[in-house]
Amino acid sequence: MTRERLAPRAIDDAPAAVAFATLFTSEARAALSALRRDLHQHPELAFAESRTAAVLERELATLSPVSIARVAGTGVVARMRGRTPGASVVAVRGDIDALPIQEATGLPFASANAGVMHACGHDVHAAWAVGAARLLAGQPAEGDVLVVLQPAEETGKGAAALLASGALDEVAAIFGGHVDRRFEVGQVVAQPGSLAAAADVFEIELAGRGAHGARPHESADPIVCAAAIISALQTIVARRVNPSTPAVVTVATMHAGQAPNVIPERAMLSGTLRAVDKDTRQLLGTSVRQLAEGIAAAHGLVATVNLTLGPPPIVNPETPVMWARAAVESLLGADALVPLGITNMAGEDFAYYMERMPGCFMRIGARLPGEPVIAAHTPQFHAAEESLFVGAAVLAETARVASAALARGDTAAST
Ligand SMILES: [Zn+2]
Ligand SMILES: [Zn+2]
């Protein structure tokens, strides 16, 4: 992949540019691009986003918000004034953290921090939240809008920390999105139902008996037992989960032994479980425990299984989706709304907000026509700059539509 191919094109080449030219002045577009590039160049890991938070606070302060608060350490919440005091409050959220990956995009604003990279597009999410704040400052929603810059999405801890702070207690509905290079700039996925999977972690510790490598009969071999467990775990999705239900069981780490002639005492396995509904999520966890413990016992070992629950699935409810779709249609036309197509088995901690309040999570196209699809969490990933303006405008307009509907007496949880 050449540097030219990955370099962002001029903003004016973007298909959505015409639609957004009326929303952003060229100065505002340049400022937003500069902000995104600055964030991209200075990525910070979960809960260490101190520079990022300071930059975002500074940008938001220029938009005359009602208030700006530091929340959950490196989170920032700006309150944009609505037209009607006392009207329902809605929130738009952008996550701000980066990943421990060495960047290899060749972008002129590539990461200056070795081993840390915005490989999930949160640089764009942070900037589009600021862009939404700018649009809402110019054309306010009915009620106040909280612009939420959330740390630590990648560790699945940031949303929970923000909720625990109480900063979102009065929010009636929340909206967010993720850049996605499977879709072109100007395409938006806003649909009811499953948008992201539950992402739980399992760890299996096998305690056996070590021995000389030449005398296996004196051991309770954790390596052979681990191999049997790994094979058996493959039967969970194949034989226990309903074939029409998406699910993933991945063993991703395996640690045991130090010398070729020593049977070790212990082995450790860990991996991830993905499901898009509550029952399947529970089945995966129960099955891992049952198989690991049973197989270990059959091999004369003891398995200790730890399950750490990550974000639950995101299931978009109908009414907030309707508001988001209305916003997208008014900005980009009905053709902009595209189906997700394949179930998304990645986790997303926006799900924690959705446990507490209604909302809609969207996928926002981030590839220019002719550009390659690049997976997030890889050293080559970057979102096309133009997705900034789509995300900002869609979030701001969705907040306005939702706010107006709530002011009319509609309730987000009505369906
Ligand atoms: Zn990510
Ligand atoms: Zn992400």
Side-chain angles (χ1 to χ4, degrees):
M1 213 165 287
T2 66
R3 194 183 170 103
E4 283 70 25
R5 188 124 184 248
L6 282 174
R9 296 181 197 173
I11 290 165
D12 293 342
D13 289 350
V18 177
F20 296 111
T22 53
L23 290 171
F24 296 96
T25 62
S26 55
E27 294 77 33
R29 289 206 295 184
L32 216 48
S33 296
L35 171 63
R36 180 273 173 126
R37 289 174 179 226
D38 179 67
L39 296 175
H40 190 93
Q41 196 163 15
H42 301 97
E44 294 171 305
L45 295 174
F47 285 132
E49 310 94 334
S50 45
R51 180 189 182 278
T52 305
V55 168
L56 293 168
E57 273 177 333
R58 201 177 60 220
E59 291 283 329
L60 289 164
T62 65
L63 303 172
S64 311
V66 178
S67 60
I68 300 182
R70 251 322 161 98
V71 180
T74 45
V76 179
V77 177
R79 188 180 188 112
M80 308 308 294
R81 193 185 307 279
R83 289 184 299 178
T84 307
S88 295
V89 175
V90 303
V92 296
R93 171 272 210 174
D95 41 3
I96 67 172
D97 58 322
L99 283 159
I101 292 176
Q102 179 64 41
E103 180 159 352
T105 58
L107 289 169
F109 51 94
S111 172
N113 299 345
V116 184
M117 175 193 176
H118 269 297
C120 203
H122 299 184
D123 52 331
V124 172
H125 302 173
W128 76 26
V130 172
R134 183 186 287 273
L135 293 171
L136 289 163
Q139 192 189 332
E142 203 57 48
D144 289 357
V145 178
L146 300 188
V147 175
V148 179
L149 279 315
Q150 181 212 302
E153 191 285 324
E154 294 293 355
T155 57
K157 303 259 194 297
L162 255 153
L163 285 165
S165 77
L168 307 187
D169 281 359
E170 59 176 327
V171 173
I174 188 164
F175 300 91
H178 205 292
V179 288
D180 193 330
R181 286 191 67 108
R182 289 171 301 174
F183 303 101
E184 289 186 2
V185 171
Q187 294 182 317
V188 178
V189 177
Q191 65 186 43
S194 169
L195 250 286
D200 302 329
V201 171
F202 68 86
E203 291 172 312
I204 302 169
E205 182 175 6
L206 297 171
R209 190 169 57 254
H212 194 295
R215 290 193 285 275
H217 58 289
E218 294 173 1
S219 76
D221 187 343
I223 290 184
V224 173
C225 180
I229 290 172
I230 292 168
S231 294
L233 295 182
Q234 311 312 308
T235 67
I236 298 174
V237 174
R239 301 289 88 180
R240 294 189 182 204
V241 175
N242 183 324
S244 63
T245 307
V248 177
V249 175
T250 290
V251 179
T253 75
M254 180 183 180
H255 297 287
Q258 288 183 313
N261 57 353
V262 177
I263 296 171
E265 278 186 22
R266 288 173 189 278
M268 291 286 302
L269 302 173
S270 73
T272 185
L273 305 175
R274 305 296 168 107
V276 298
D277 67 83
K278 198 160 58 84
D279 291 347
T280 308
R281 184 187 197 189
Q282 194 159 21
L283 175 67
L284 297 185
T286 309
S287 299
V288 167
R289 187 181 298 282
Q290 196 181 53
L291 286 168
E293 289 176 352
I295 290 167
H299 284 243
L301 292 89
V302 174
T304 305
V305 180
N306 281 316
L307 277 175
T308 307
L309 297 184
I314 292 181
V315 181
N316 280 339
E318 299 272 354
T319 302
V321 167
M322 213 173 65
W323 296 335
R325 290 178 72 88
V328 172
E329 278 195 43
S330 73
L331 289 166
L332 292 161
D335 288 350
L337 287 162
V338 293
L340 183 59
I342 295 170
T343 307
N344 175 29
M345 299 308 286
E348 162 60 65
D349 85 346
F350 191 85
Y352 288 114
Y353 300 123
M354 303 272 278
E355 280 190 324
R356 294 268 293 272
M357 61 194 84
C360 175
F361 193 71
M362 296 173 252
R363 309 291 298 184
I364 309 280
R367 172 173 57 89
L368 291 178
E371 281 192 339
V373 174
I374 305 170
H377 290 213
T378 65
Q380 289 78 30
F381 182 82
H382 67 286
E385 193 155 70
E386 294 73 10
S387 59
L388 252 183
F389 310 111
V390 178
V394 166
L395 285 181
E397 185 60 16
T398 301
R400 289 192 201 106
V401 172
S403 189
L406 289 164
R408 282 196 308 270
D410 297 1
T411 57
S414 60
T415 52

